Amino acid sequence: MSPDTVLVTGGAGFIGSHIVDKLINEGHRVRVIDNLSTGRTENLKHLENNPNLEFIKGDLKNEKDTEEAVKGVNTVFHFAANPEVRVSTTNPRTHFEENVVTTFNLLEAMRKLGGVREIVFASSSSVYGEPEEIPVGEEAPVRPVSVYGASKAACENLIHAYSRLYGIKAVILRYANIIGPRLRHGVIYDLLMKLGKNTSELEVLGDGTQVRSYVYIDDAVEATMLAWKNSTGNYEVYNVGNEDWITVNDIVKAILNELGLSNVKIIHKPILHGVGWPGDVKKITLRIDRLKALGFRLGIARSRPLN
Ligand SMILES: NC(=O)c1ccc[n+]([C@@H]2O[C@H](COP(=O)([O-])OP(=O)(O)OC[C@H]3O[C@@H](n4cnc5c(N)ncnc54)[C@H](O)[C@@H]3O)[C@@H](O)[C@H]2O)c1
């Protein structure tokens, strides 16, 4: 592979595979490492014969696999993780290993092998926990309330230290809820799966008043590319969110309406202060001024020709 090869960890997953599409479209050579725990080769099937794509079935928990993936690349998009906030509560060790240990292994491989100049990291709005004010800006305190959020905050801090110590440029993206084709987790996916099995009643986790902000995948990819190409500092953090928001109850209404379903009995399952599971955040929306200062506007991807 040529030295301008970009490594995408988790490139067979939802966001990662869309990033791969974009990078390939822009003419980059791309190497993917994915252990296919939640990712699927179908997400990259359309690129099967593309000479610019190399796929490694490997696990970042394994140091050898990680070094093999990092060898010869100069940019890393680190998107591999266990993205399930709920799992992080029931099995925190899994999350620590799948999110923090993997990131440490990756950074260590980058340090040992040299050559990698920059890392773009998929962090999450969950690092803010329950923010005092919404929309929340990047300067707000990092106070996660889930092990998932804590794992992302730990990764950010590890990346910060490696960036300072070893001169690796870092771009941190704190994504809100991203939706679009190939998504297989989260509230909307969960509701659709339940309705696929039973259209007479629907269990909704939480009291339904939880506030969420969603970004379409094309906008999230565009935001990621803008931040990667235009951020000037050695370590920059960007929120990737929308300027509107929706309650879970309104999501339910929209889904039922879209599917033409009526007379569905809605059963709310709130815990604590109305959230759906331990670690769930009642209200979060993100301020995206930093991203906008780079030229981002929502819908930007749809207003540009696809190449
Ligand atoms: N989808 C969202 O709304 C959202 C929001 C905030 C942050 N994120 C973050 O964005 C990234 C991508 O999320 P996604 O929604 O595409 O999830 P996803 O589950 O579709 O993708 C994660 C990918 O990582 C791979 N993977 C997991 N552990 C691995 C390991 N040890 N070694 C190699 N590959 C491994 C999986 O097989 C999968 O392909 C994650 O880091 C997630 O935490 C996602």
Side-chain angles (χ1 to χ4, degrees):
M1 285 242 152
S2 80
D4 71 345
T5 301
V6 178
L7 172 67
V8 182
T9 75
F14 164 50
I15 304 179
S17 63
H18 286 280
I19 295 281
V20 171
D21 284 344
K22 183 74 179 177
L23 289 167
I24 294 271
N25 278 341
E26 288 190 352
H28 299 277
R29 286 172 174 270
V30 177
R31 180 184 291 158
V32 167
I33 179 167
D34 201 299
N35 67 358
L36 301 180
S37 51
T38 55
R40 299 179 306 153
T41 47
E42 293 98 284
N43 289 344
L44 298 173
K45 200 160 177 51
H46 54 290
L47 298 171
E48 209 169 31
N49 298 318
N50 192 308
N52 283 334
L53 179 69
E54 180 194 350
F55 180 79
I56 298 175
K57 182 172 185 298
D59 197 316
L60 295 176
K61 294 195 288 301
N62 178 308
E63 288 172 47
K64 257 184 134 177
D65 287 0
T66 310
E67 285 184 15
E68 189 197 341
V70 167
K71 206 172 286 169
V73 305
N74 58 15
T75 300
V76 175
F77 280 67
H78 181 30
F79 282 67
N82 185 328
E84 284 286 0
V85 181
R86 270 183 279 168
V87 176
S88 81
T89 314
T90 52
N91 201 341
R93 181 170 295 281
T94 305
H95 249 69
F96 178 74
E97 278 159 9
E98 292 180 353
N99 294 358
V100 184
V101 172
T102 49
T103 300
F104 176 72
N105 285 346
L106 181 65
L107 291 167
E108 269 297 272
M110 286 163 60
R111 178 183 72 84
K112 284 189 200 154
L113 296 175
V116 177
R117 290 196 315 259
E118 49 190 3
I119 180 167
V120 178
F121 176 59
S123 187
S124 161
S125 60
S126 59
V127 298
Y128 297 115
E130 301 266 8
E132 274 168 24
E133 273 181 18
I134 54 170
V136 59
E138 293 88 345
E139 68 295 338
V142 166
R143 289 198 188 119
V145 296
S146 63
V147 176
Y148 170 76
S151 78
K152 288 290 178 187
C155 294
E156 287 190 7
N157 283 334
L158 277 170
I159 293 170
H160 185 263
Y162 273 71
S163 161
R164 282 291 287 268
L165 289 168
Y166 309 112
I168 300 163
K169 181 180 166 180
V171 180
I172 308 293
L173 299 154
R174 292 180 179 161
Y175 294 109
N177 296 287
I178 313 297
I179 45 163
R182 306 176 195 161
L183 173 66
R184 289 171 79 85
H185 62 89
V187 172
I188 293 175
Y189 184 76
D190 182 49
L191 293 170
L192 288 171
M193 288 303 105
K194 284 174 180 163
L195 285 169
K197 289 185 193 135
N198 183 358
T199 49
S200 55
E201 61 178 44
L202 178 62
E203 179 195 74
V204 175
L205 299 178
D207 64 7
T209 65
Q210 303 106 296
V211 167
R212 299 270 190 274
S213 185
Y214 284 87
V215 182
Y216 192 64
I217 183 68
D218 293 356
D219 280 339
V221 169
E222 205 59 40
T224 307
M225 294 296 140
L226 266 177
W228 171 42
K229 290 173 188 167
N230 297 343
S231 79
T232 48
N234 280 332
Y235 180 90
E236 299 286 349
V237 179
Y238 296 94
N239 283 342
V240 181
N242 207 319
E243 286 177 316
D244 65 4
W245 51 269
I246 187 167
T247 64
V248 171
N249 277 338
D250 283 340
I251 293 173
V252 171
K253 271 189 218 148
I255 290 176
L256 295 181
N257 194 30
E258 196 62 34
L259 296 178
L261 292 171
S262 51
N263 301 323
V264 180
K265 187 177 173 206
I266 308 295
I267 303 164
H268 286 107
K269 287 269 174 75
I271 62 157
L272 304 168
H273 49 299
V275 297
W277 54 88
D280 185 20
V281 171
K282 191 74 192 277
K283 282 186 181 172
I284 179 138
T285 60
L286 302 178
R287 234 182 37 226
I288 56 168
D289 300 347
R290 265 192 210 174
L291 202 55
K292 282 162 78 179
L294 296 182
F296 178 75
R297 57 197 163 76
L298 289 152
I300 190 170
R302 288 181 288 288
S303 57
R304 276 190 193 167
L306 288 172
N307 44 6

